[in-house]
Amino acid sequence: MEDLLKGRLGGDSGFDIRCAIDGDHIVGRAGGKLHGQDIDLEITEKGVQGTVGDAPVSIQLDAGELKGNVGKEKLTLRGVDRVTGFFGEPIVGWNVSAQQTGTQLYGRLGSTVLGREFQLELGSAPGWVGALVAVVAFYALEPRASAAR
């Protein structure tokens, strides 16, 4: 059965996120038709594999944490319905925090001043899936997130 994960990254001046979830496969788009990137992820027994645009996504489950890369940027996420983590390098990176309330996920990437808020309807997906999709969308659409590319 197909389910939808949809919402916004960056508020009114930000970007739409819309993905279909079919079993363990997440396919969709961050941004619009002209300025956007396709998202194609698969949840496996060992983590998450896939692409955002033409950048690889490779994340492994390691001692209760998801660790890996979105493109060339490092990612660590922990938690299920209350998700925390870090994206990028220690000097130029973004804190990740998100809280699931029912089927809604509210979160923030980065600091209070330079960060981006996100809000997603999860459908039946757990909060960590929404947080991961938000990070992938941030990488795809935010120039500061992919400066090392």
Side-chain angles (χ1 to χ4, degrees):
M1 178 169 177
E2 190 175 279
D3 205 355
L4 287 179
L5 186 151
K6 59 185 177 178
R8 240 169 128 74
L9 170 67
D12 291 340
S13 64
F15 307 101
D16 288 328
I17 301 170
R18 187 173 179 89
C19 294
I21 303 172
D22 187 8
D24 293 334
H25 204 186
I26 302 165
V27 178
R29 189 153 180 94
K33 291 180 181 180
L34 296 177
H35 179 69
Q37 298 285 330
D38 291 331
I39 297 171
D40 187 352
L41 304 172
E42 183 177 2
I43 301 169
T44 68
E45 290 180 12
K46 297 179 181 180
V48 180
Q49 304 291 319
T51 58
V52 56
D54 59 0
V57 175
S58 178
I59 299 168
Q60 304 300 315
L61 183 60
D62 180 20
E65 294 183 331
L66 289 171
K67 294 182 178 182
N69 289 56
V70 177
K72 294 182 180 180
E73 298 294 332
K74 293 180 184 176
L75 174 65
T76 301
L77 292 177
R78 63 192 74 69
V80 177
D81 56 351
R82 183 179 181 288
V83 182
T84 59
F86 196 78
F87 179 58
E89 297 295 330
I91 294 175
V92 181
W94 300 269
N95 291 316
V96 179
S97 63
Q99 177 69 48
Q100 180 179 357
T101 304
T103 61
Q104 299 289 313
L105 182 72
Y106 300 94
R108 187 161 189 85
L109 291 155
S111 67
T112 304
V113 175
L114 298 175
R116 292 273 195 160
E117 292 182 2
F118 61 90
Q119 180 274 324
L120 296 170
E121 284 182 39
L122 297 170
S124 62
W128 71 267
V129 171
L132 176 62
V133 169
V135 169
V136 167
F138 181 72
Y139 176 83
L141 299 171
E142 180 63 48
R144 296 175 299 142
S146 55
R149 281 200 264 180

